[in-house]
Amino acid sequence: MLHEITLNVNGELHIVPVKSHHTLLTVLREQLGITSPKRGCENGECGACTVLYDGKPVNSCMVLAVEAEGHVIETVESLAKNGELHPLQKSFIEHNAVQCGFCTPGMLMSAKGLLAENPHPTEEEIKHALAGNLCRCTGYVRIIDAIKDVADHS
Amino acid sequence: MHPFDYYKPKDFDEAFAMLTQPGKKVIPLAGSTDIIPMVRDERWLPDAVVDIKGLPGLRDIKLVDSGPLCCAGQTAQCLYIGAAARMNEIAHSELVQQYASVLAQAAQEVGHEQVRNRATLGGNMGTASPAGDTLSALLVLEADVLVKGKDEERCIPALKFFLGPRKTALQPGEIILGVQVPPLPEGTLGRYLRISRRKGADLAIVGLSVMAIPAEGGYQWRIGLGAVAPTPIRVPEAETILATGHDEATVEKAIQATLAAARPIDDIRATAAYRREMVVQLTRRALQDIIAQIP
């Protein structure tokens, strides 16, 4: 079944025909060309496809695209403003919190969601918020440090 | 992924009609976090899904008066939680924390942040995995489940709702509207604990809900277990033992009674033997936690 829907992604409205069974991840990547959400496990485990959905982190592989009509979707593409990187992006660079980079967009969106709700989280709260984001280069310490740095200096 | 159709009904009549299309396999959808992986793994092959989360009242968390169906005969107000309330909404709700602390704790343990922002209470109940975190909490809260079919609503005690792995008392076309938690006396204590292979993004190896309710001269106890039987279960034998007191020897007897009630299996997450050992550890920990809070 095909649905003609309007998706609000990164502040832009996209009118897009979507199939009932296609996930938000599939439509973002394959129909809108927004490729920062990564296709990892596609099972709600790895968090590589994390986007903000009405400001809250969700796995875009766990949402049907058709469900997302009327909701506000944000991906990493929305973070930099006027050529200036977001403080979280700068901090990830400064702390070398990136190795292969595959998990990074999801990490950034989970971190953004956390800081919006809790601007000064403890290290435990950061770990809890990132429990659904896996990094197989095992770089968690630097990622947590990068987020903590932003939280401490905001 | 196996293709299916998606419907979003505007009211309950339309939802019922969509859910009962002759010759079609149709599944109600709320949070999607069970349906999408199950369809992708081809364990569920629906012809269609019906998105019920926008139906009136399904996302409410509020206090309600006793009704003719659920919450019958209660003099104080009950806590109503709509079936499509998200796990994070439940975990963070002051009303749930106050009226059903054990359920708020259980909701906080489901999956991880991204899942808790999507997964719903009704979905956890409808999927009826024996490991579902919220289910043993509903059993110890003695919640009522309000369900709706074609025209009629009916109320099913949570204790009679879960019939087997992925089997509930729902009739074809019926959907869960929400649960109602009866009022509990001031000073009621609740604890949900679970063991899993990792702290986030995994199902419980054992889940345990415990409540201590002030009663004449002491406490009435309720113990619920998840992931150690085909359904979440209550442990009346241990509850009876604890009604006599909570000194160390009595607590040990209650732990043994809880262990005796568990009928775990070996699966990919743990062996039955490990689950039995964890029942002992979790029960001891939860009882000690609660006893430490008793004034």
Side-chain angles (χ1 to χ4, degrees), chain B residues 2-4 25-27 38-39 41-48:
Chain B
H2 165 83
F4 52 77
K25 170 127 185 75
V26 188
I27 303 178
M38 289 304 252
V39 174
D41 292 350
E42 303 194 340
R43 292 169 70 185
W44 295 351
L45 296 170
D47 297 301

Side-chain angles (χ1 to χ4, degrees), chain B residues 21-81:
Chain B
Q21 296 171 65
K24 289 200 169 177
K25 170 127 185 75
V26 188
I27 303 178
L29 172 146
S32 307
T33 54
D34 280 328
I35 288 182
I36 291 176
M38 289 304 252
V39 174
R40 193 178 13 253
D41 292 350
E42 303 194 340
R43 292 169 70 185
W44 295 351
L45 296 170
D47 297 301
V49 298
V50 177
D51 187 346
I52 60 169
K53 63 180 166 286
L55 292 172
L58 254 70
R59 292 189 64 182
D60 290 353
I61 298 179
K62 62 186 180 186
L63 295 177
V64 292
D65 294 331
S66 69
L69 297 169
C70 286
C71 201
Q74 297 290 347
T75 48
Q77 286 188 305
C78 291
L79 173 67
Y80 173 89
I81 305 171

Side-chain angles (χ1 to χ4, degrees), chain A residues 56-59 127-132, chain B residues 33 85-92 104-120 194 199-201:
Chain A
K56 295 184 189 305
V58 307
N59 294 314
K127 287 181 184 171
H128 198 75
L130 293 186
Chain B
T33 54
R86 315 269 188 201
M87 291 301 173
N88 261 345
E89 292 167 354
I90 292 168
H92 299 159
Q105 294 172 47
Q108 183 62 49
E109 294 293 329
V110 173
H112 48 67
E113 188 69 8
Q114 291 94 318
V115 167
R116 286 190 296 274
N117 280 330
R118 296 297 293 168
T120 65
R194 57 116 89 170
K199 280 188 183 172

Side-chain angles (χ1 to χ4, degrees), chain B residues 158-178:
Chain B
L159 289 161
K160 294 184 176 166
F161 186 80
F162 304 104
L163 304 181
R166 309 199 178 283
K167 271 182 70 179
T168 69
L170 287 175
Q171 296 295 316
E174 270 184 336
I175 60 171
I176 305 167
L177 295 181

Side-chain angles (χ1 to χ4, degrees), chain A residues 97-109:
Chain A
V98 177
Q99 193 168 326
C100 87
F102 196 81
C103 72
T104 311
M107 292 283 181
L108 285 166
M109 297 322 281

Side-chain angles (χ1 to χ4, degrees), chain B residues 279-292:
Chain B
V279 167
V280 171
Q281 299 302 331
L282 277 188
T283 309
R284 181 173 296 124
R285 208 179 295 166
L287 291 176
Q288 285 172 351
D289 270 11
I290 288 195
I291 289 165

